[in-house]
């Protein structure tokens, strides 16, 4: 059953991909959906057995690579972290499948779509269940590939092609770091198996690599490189540019890949490698800094986006920042908890955005929406709940996890902990709450509550989506409301033994209890900030209040609405120089220039011209021939005598002879 | 000892003069053949003198053979010259450039 869970999506993908023509539209959809649903039910059983009954399961299939000391097996490790990820992946995937049946109904390539979705699910399952880093890397690259295929699903659109390539290439930068990290793991531990790495990690605390002449702690080195991988996949600041562009794909794809599953792989990686990065406080510091900066940056940029899906994409980015810095605070279990809740409400937000877009005949710009609460009451309700959950409204999913993360970051107010980086996370994270609430409700106002800006033709065709779209929405709504409350106690309750050994927190780093003893006044801050955000959004949208009156402020607004010019800067300083280098230096100078000049072109041009000049030596004048004969004779003698003895008589004679003839 | 150096110098000088004659001559093919004869002469000199110096008869036999060869060669050369003159009416060397590369 454990292996079946993983294999089922692959089977579904292959059959609906290659046999989609035979199965037909509904055949392929129903077949692939049932495969994933079955996989989902199995993962519930796995969750029960592994998570609730505390029986970790390890399945060893067969050897994969066996070279010298490197031995990699096809092994599947089902521990509590994996079981939670399995539930997240398969449940969101199953709901997205159900949703897609109706959403992609008019698309001629529906079987292909289903096949891609399932191959994605398969690779994601490989990623989360792998028992060694290389197998995990297989899943890691696989989801990147599936992401490429899915973003590029409407391959006739230029924008889709561009963003798919961007997603793949930017992800590949992170993958490069991750692969070097895996090499470094093998270099220091001589193994890539999780069990071996994690049990050896404590002994490598004081082991140093010599890298480029610097001496670097091996665990810091490995941890930073793994984090580079996580930066790419989880769209942290620096490599985040692909995520908003990835919204070019169909909306279910955005929900499945760019909200609930694939982008969480980076966080999952950090959680999985917790026994390793716990021993390196510098890696934890990097996580905190990058995570909190990402949170703040993405939340601010989200405020100024006008594309419905991009707002949610930036919110994803921001929430991933929360998860990463929760990992940096050594609260991996809280990070995992937020991951689960976030998967619920973000999939909900994306899918309901898809429903809105579907209703408005593929209109994505929020400025052309409005008044949809009359036409789409169910979508409005679920999106409202999703937004409340995202903003951390009390007793919804986001509240339990996000506020917990913020509380834990606020423990730096305990002066004896003396953790200054945590203060940064606290400030930026708390401010982001304000922005998160603001853009969520700005989205709601612009889409559902303000006066309509749509054209008459669009308004006439607005309709509530059918049942296949609404059922996943409603299930996810229930999830968004209850998952946080239901799972809080055994995910992050004090004294829970749910995670067992799958998450490792150094006792020295465990500040979990500190969060419980915070001053109640501090604990209220995130809630108050989110309320302020909501009220601000209400004021700005219900009145004619404008804020762009001061010059410096409008400059900042411009800067943020241009996403801090990350893309232009990257294009200017990295993309174009590299492209120009590729064209001018490697292509024109090296390939077409240097190498061709030495190789074929050079031979073609050089030999005839040289032969021509040699041919011209034969003038027909007998005198010239004689001259060359004598010259040759003289130089022949000269060389030989020179080789024998420079000062010999014969040498001087021949030298005289040559001289005479030259005179 | 004095004679030895002298004969070497004589024959070498003769050889060089003949080579210069061949090389610098651009007008007359007859002069070329004469220079060739001179070259044979210098080689014969060299052989004869050295056969005397090292007291060996082979040098003299060789010089006799060279005489024969030189005679045969100059007769054939003159024959070619005559035939050439019959065809082109000149014996100027610098006009013999019909077979350039």
């Amino acid at each position: 059953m454990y292996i079946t869970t993983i294999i089922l999506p692959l089977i579904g993908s292959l059959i609906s991909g290659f046999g989609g023509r035979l199965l037909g539209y509904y055949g392929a959809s129903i077949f692939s959906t049932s495969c994933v649903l079955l996989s989902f039910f199995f993962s519930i059983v796995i969750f029960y057995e592994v998570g609730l009954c505390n029986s970790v399961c390890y399945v060893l299939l067969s050897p994969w690579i066996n070279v010298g000391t490197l031995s990699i097996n096809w092994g599947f490790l089902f521990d509590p972290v994996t079981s939670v990820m399995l539930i997240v992946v398969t449940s969101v995937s199953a709901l997205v499948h159900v949703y897609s049946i109706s959403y992609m109904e008019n698309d001629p390539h529906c079987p292909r779509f289903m096949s891609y979705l399932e191959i994605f699910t398969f690779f994601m399952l490989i990623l989360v269940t792998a028992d060694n880093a290389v197998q995990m890397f297989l899943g890691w690259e696989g989801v990147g590939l599936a992401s490429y295929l899915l973003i590029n699903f409407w391959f006739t659109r230029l924008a889709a092609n561009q963003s798919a390539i961007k997603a793949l290439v930017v992800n590949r930068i992170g993958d490069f770091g991750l692969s070097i990290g895996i090499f470094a793991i093998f270099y220091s531990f001589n193994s890539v198996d999780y069990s071996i790495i994690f049990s050896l990690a404590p002994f490598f605390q004081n082991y140093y690599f010599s890298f480029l002449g610097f001496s670097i702690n091996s665990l810091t080195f490995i941890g930073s490189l793994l984090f580079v991988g996580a930066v790419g996949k989880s769209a942290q600041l620096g490599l985040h540019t692909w995520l908003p562009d990835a919204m070019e794909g169909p909306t279910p794809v955005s929900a499945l890949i760019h909200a609930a599953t694939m982008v969480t792989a980076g966080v999952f990686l950090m959680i999985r490698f917790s026994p390793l990065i716990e021993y390196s406080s510098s890696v934890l510091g990097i996580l905190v800094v990058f995570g909190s900066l990402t949170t703040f940056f993405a939340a601010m940029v989200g405020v100024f986006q006008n594309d419905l899906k991009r707002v949610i994409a930036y919110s994803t980015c921001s929430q991933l920042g929360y998860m990463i810095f929760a990992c940096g605070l050594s609260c991996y279990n809280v990070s995992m908890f937020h991951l689960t809740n976030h998967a619920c409400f973000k999939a909900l937000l994306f899918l309901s955005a898809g429903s809105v877009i579907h209703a408005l005949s593929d209109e994505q710009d929020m400025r052309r929406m409005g008044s949809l609460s009359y036409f789409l009451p169910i979508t409005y309700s679920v999106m409202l709940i999703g937004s409340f959950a995202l903003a951390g409204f009390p007793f919804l999913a986001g509240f339990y996890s996000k506020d917990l993360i913020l509380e834990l970051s606020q423990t730096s107010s305990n002066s004896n902990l003396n953790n200054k980086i945590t203060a940064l996370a606290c400030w930026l994270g708390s401010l982001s709450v304000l922005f998160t609430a603001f853009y969520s409700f700005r989205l709601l106002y612009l889409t559902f509550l303000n006066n309509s800006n749509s054209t008459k033709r669009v308004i006439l065709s607005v309709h509530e989506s059918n049942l296949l779209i609404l059922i996943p929405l409603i299930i996810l709504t229930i999830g968004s409301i209850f998952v946080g409350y239901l799972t809080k106690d055994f995910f992050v309750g004090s004294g829970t033994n749910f995670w067992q050994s799958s998450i490792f927190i150094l006792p020295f780093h465990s500040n979990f209890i500190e969060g419980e003893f915070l001053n109640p006044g501090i604990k209220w801050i995130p809630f108050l900030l989110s309320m302020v955000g909501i009220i601000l959004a209400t004021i700005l949208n219900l009145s004619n209040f404008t804020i762009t009156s001061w010059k410096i402020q409008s400059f900042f607004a411009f800067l943020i609405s241009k996403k801090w010019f990350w893309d232009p800067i990257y294009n200017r300083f990295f993309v174009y120089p590299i492209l120009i280098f590729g064209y001018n230096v490697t292509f024109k100078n090296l390939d077409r220039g240097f190498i061709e000049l030495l190789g074929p072109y050079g031979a073609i041009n050089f030999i005839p011209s040289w032969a021509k000049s040699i041919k011209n030596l034969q003038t027909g004048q007998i005198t010239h021939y004689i001259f060359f004969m004598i010259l040759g004779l003289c130089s022949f003698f000269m060389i030989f005598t020179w080789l024998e003895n420079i000062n010999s008589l014969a040498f001087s004679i021949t030298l005289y002879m040559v001289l005479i003839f030259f005179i | 000892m004095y004679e030895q150096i002298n004969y070497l110098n004589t024959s070498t000088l003769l050889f060089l003069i003949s080579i210069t004659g061949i090389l610098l001559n651009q007008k007359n093919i007859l002069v070329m053949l004469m220079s060739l004869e001179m070259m044979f002469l210098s080689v014969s000199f060299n052989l004869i003198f050295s056969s005397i110096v090292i007291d060996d008869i082979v040098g003299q036999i060789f010089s006799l053979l060279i005489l024969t060869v030189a005679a045969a060669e100059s007769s054939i050369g003159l024959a070619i010259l005559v035939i050439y003159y019959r065809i082109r009416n000149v014996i100027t060397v610098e006009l013999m450039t019909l077979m350039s590369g």
Side-chain angles (χ1 to χ4, degrees):
Chain A
M1 182 196 75
Y2 284 84
I3 299 302
T4 318
T5 315
I6 297 161
I7 292 298
L8 263 178
L10 178 66
I11 295 169
S13 165
L14 291 178
I15 290 179
S16 65
F18 289 113
R21 202 172 277 266
L22 302 173
L23 287 170
Y25 165 68
Y26 281 108
S29 304
I30 290 166
F31 179 72
S32 52
T33 310
S34 55
C35 276
V36 177
L37 271 175
L38 208 58
S39 187
F40 171 58
F41 290 129
F42 283 150
S43 26
I44 289 177
V45 179
I46 291 173
F47 182 73
Y48 171 74
E49 287 186 358
V50 174
L52 301 184
C53 301
N54 283 352
S55 62
V56 172
C57 180
Y58 177 60
V59 182
L60 192 66
L61 274 190
S62 68
W64 180 15
I65 299 171
N66 234 326
V67 189
T69 50
L70 174 69
S71 85
I72 302 170
N73 298 311
W74 285 107
F76 298 91
L77 174 67
F78 295 87
D79 60 358
V81 169
T82 300
S83 69
V84 174
M85 281 304 282
L86 278 179
I87 290 277
V88 169
V89 171
T90 51
S91 65
V92 174
S93 177
L95 292 174
V96 166
H97 271 83
V98 174
Y99 181 91
S100 306
I101 294 175
S102 169
Y103 191 84
M104 302 301 283
E105 175 168 61
N106 298 322
D107 199 283
H109 297 287
C110 190
R112 184 162 66 92
F113 185 73
M114 291 294 172
S115 168
Y116 287 168
L117 281 185
E118 284 210 280
I119 200 75
F120 169 77
T121 315
F122 168 69
F123 278 125
M124 195 69 201
L125 294 181
I126 288 280
L127 199 164
V128 297
T129 56
D131 81 321
N132 58 60
V134 174
Q135 196 180 330
M136 185 275 295
F137 194 65
L138 173 76
W140 188 272
E141 290 293 320
V143 291
L145 170 74
S147 152
Y148 170 78
L149 294 172
L150 282 167
I151 298 168
N152 209 359
F153 179 70
W154 290 316
F155 51 80
T156 48
R157 297 172 57 223
L158 180 63
N161 291 323
Q162 285 171 335
S163 35
I165 290 170
K166 187 176 183 182
L168 196 70
V169 170
V170 176
N171 261 308
R172 184 53 52 85
I173 296 170
D175 298 346
F176 181 64
L178 178 61
S179 56
I180 294 178
I182 293 172
F183 294 148
I185 286 174
F186 180 67
Y187 178 73
S188 47
F189 295 102
N190 270 333
S191 171
V192 288
D193 273 14
Y194 286 157
S195 51
I196 296 173
I197 300 167
F198 296 158
S199 49
L200 285 181
F203 302 108
F204 279 78
Q205 274 185 85
N206 296 318
Y207 179 69
Y208 285 88
F209 279 141
S210 174
F211 178 71
L212 299 175
F214 296 102
S215 183
I216 304 174
N217 188 317
S218 70
L219 292 184
T220 307
F221 186 71
I222 294 168
S224 332
L225 285 169
L226 294 179
F227 177 60
V228 170
V231 167
K233 201 58 100 189
S234 288
Q236 296 300 297
L237 198 65
L239 297 179
H240 66 281
T241 50
W242 67 272
L243 186 58
D245 284 356
M247 295 301 123
E248 288 297 333
T251 312
V253 172
S254 310
L256 178 61
I257 297 188
H258 308 118
T261 47
M262 190 182 93
V263 289
T264 59
V267 182
F268 167 76
L269 184 74
M270 290 294 108
I271 295 169
R272 172 61 91 199
F273 277 87
S274 60
L276 200 144
I277 60 177
E278 268 298 280
Y279 287 104
S280 168
S281 53
S282 25
V283 173
L284 294 178
I286 292 171
L287 289 184
V288 171
V289 170
F290 269 85
S292 50
L293 283 177
T294 310
T295 307
F296 187 61
F297 162 80
M300 244 183 354
V301 172
V303 170
F304 285 89
Q305 295 301 308
N306 289 318
D307 189 315
L308 182 61
K309 279 166 78 179
R310 282 187 189 213
V311 174
I312 310 175
Y314 272 109
S315 129
T316 302
C317 204
S318 165
Q319 299 302 310
L320 287 167
Y322 277 111
M323 294 175 213
I324 288 285
F325 87 66
C327 287
L329 298 175
S330 298
C331 305
Y332 304 96
N333 46 358
V334 186
S335 177
M336 196 71 202
F337 182 42
H338 191 50
L339 194 157
T340 320
N341 294 344
H342 172 258
C344 262
F345 60 73
K346 196 47 66 75
L348 169 64
L349 280 176
F350 259 115
L351 292 182
S352 45
S355 171
V356 169
I357 292 165
H358 206 51
L360 287 178
S361 13
D362 297 335
E363 177 58 60
Q364 291 198 17
D365 198 328
M366 289 197 298
R367 289 168 297 187
R368 296 195 193 158
M369 298 177 182
S371 314
L372 288 179
S373 56
Y374 300 106
F375 302 106
L376 309 171
I378 301 176
T379 310
Y380 171 61
S381 334
V382 296
M383 206 155 185
L384 185 69
I385 292 168
S387 296
F388 269 122
L390 174 63
F393 197 77
F395 314 120
L396 295 183
F399 171 73
Y400 289 100
S401 51
K402 200 162 76 169
D403 277 18
L404 191 56
I405 290 176
L406 288 169
E407 276 173 22
L408 290 168
S409 72
Q410 278 159 345
T411 51
S412 64
S413 61
N414 282 332
S415 55
N416 56 348
L417 282 177
N418 195 17
N419 197 344
K420 297 205 172 55
I421 301 177
T422 318
L424 174 81
C426 173
W427 275 98
L428 293 181
S430 303
L431 276 178
S432 310
V433 170
L434 176 85
F435 290 115
T436 307
F438 181 81
Y439 65 64
S440 308
F441 282 85
R442 175 172 172 273
L443 184 147
L444 280 180
Y445 274 108
L446 285 175
T447 313
F448 292 106
L449 299 174
N450 281 358
N451 291 331
S452 178
N453 289 324
S454 311
T455 55
K456 184 185 171 192
R457 191 177 53 80
V458 171
I459 292 286
L460 285 177
S461 66
V462 166
H463 56 281
E464 185 71 273
S465 309
N466 65 16
L467 215 56
L468 275 177
I469 288 188
L470 290 179
I471 288 172
L473 289 183
I474 289 162
I475 294 172
L476 282 170
T477 311
I478 296 167
S480 304
I481 297 172
F482 293 112
V483 160
Y485 172 70
L486 289 177
T487 56
K488 181 175 193 280
D489 273 340
F490 63 85
F491 277 8
V492 293
S494 45
T496 175
N497 66 343
F498 176 75
W499 300 110
Q500 300 176 61
S501 59
S502 61
I503 283 175
F504 174 78
I505 301 171
L506 268 185
F508 178 64
H509 288 155
S510 181
N511 297 331
F512 193 76
I513 300 298
E514 308 289 327
E516 301 289 334
F517 293 101
L518 279 175
N519 188 359
I522 298 178
K523 284 194 170 196
W524 276 98
I525 288 176
F527 173 72
L528 291 177
L529 281 171
S530 67
M531 281 302 120
V532 168
I534 293 171
I535 292 165
L536 210 61
T538 314
I539 292 171
L540 284 179
N541 281 291
L542 293 186
S543 67
N544 291 324
F545 184 70
T546 52
I547 50 165
T548 52
S549 50
W550 305 329
K551 197 161 188 182
I552 184 151
Q553 196 181 20
S554 68
F555 170 73
F556 267 107
F558 180 72
L559 192 67
I560 297 168
S561 68
K562 292 289 178 193
K563 305 159 201 168
W564 290 86
F565 288 103
W566 275 96
D567 282 297
I569 287 171
Y570 273 177
N571 286 342
R572 185 76 55 82
F573 292 110
F574 294 104
V575 179
Y576 287 133
I578 288 170
L579 278 179
I580 288 167
F581 178 83
Y583 181 66
N584 280 339
V585 176
T586 58
F587 179 66
K588 270 169 86 178
N589 283 350
L590 277 177
D591 275 8
R592 300 296 310 273
F594 193 63
I595 292 170
E596 289 216 343
L597 209 66
L598 280 183
Y601 268 132
I604 286 170
N605 290 326
F606 176 74
I607 291 174
S609 68
W610 191 242
K612 207 172 178 180
S613 63
I614 288 176
K615 199 182 75 176
N616 284 339
L617 284 178
Q618 301 180 340
T619 51
Q621 291 282 1
I622 293 170
T623 323
H624 294 171
Y625 294 162
I626 293 167
F627 173 71
F628 285 121
M629 279 162 70
I630 294 165
L631 193 69
L633 212 61
C634 290
S635 33
F636 185 74
F637 274 122
M638 199 176 79
I639 289 164
F640 270 80
T641 51
W642 184 58
L643 285 178
E644 277 174 16
N645 188 0
I646 290 175
N647 289 323
S648 71
L649 182 72
F651 176 74
S652 55
I653 290 172
T654 40
L655 198 65
Y656 289 143
M657 283 167 76
V658 171
L659 278 177
I660 285 168
F661 285 112
F662 271 106
I663 291 164
Chain B
M1 198 63 207
Y2 177 72
E3 290 90 358
Q4 286 174 20
I5 296 172
N6 225 14
Y7 88 77
L8 261 181
N9 282 347
T10 314
S11 61
T12 310
L13 206 62
L14 208 58
F15 189 78
L16 289 183
I17 290 168
S18 63
I19 282 180
T20 328
I22 291 177
L23 198 61
L24 300 182
N25 165 51
Q26 301 212 329
K27 296 290 178 197
N28 202 339
I29 203 165
L30 214 54
V31 175
M32 232 172 195
L33 283 175
M34 281 150 69
S35 303
L36 212 60
E37 286 304 313
M38 224 162 101
M39 205 187 278
F40 282 121
L41 181 70
S42 73
V43 172
S44 296
F45 266 4
N46 202 355
L47 282 170
I48 290 164
F49 280 137
S50 50
S51 82
I52 288 168
V53 167
I54 62 173
D55 200 11
D56 189 7
I57 201 71
V58 181
Q60 293 172 30
I61 292 168
F62 257 115
S63 74
L64 280 174
L65 285 174
I66 286 173
L67 268 178
T68 330
V69 169
E73 189 257 308
S74 58
S75 63
I76 291 168
L78 279 171
I80 292 170
L81 176 92
V82 168
I83 290 166
Y84 186 80
Y85 181 73
R86 197 181 290 163
I87 295 169
R88 291 197 60 182
N89 271 331
V90 284
I91 51 167
T92 315
V93 179
E94 60 187 356
L95 295 178
M96 296 179 181
T97 55
L98 295 178
M99 284 184 41
S100 63

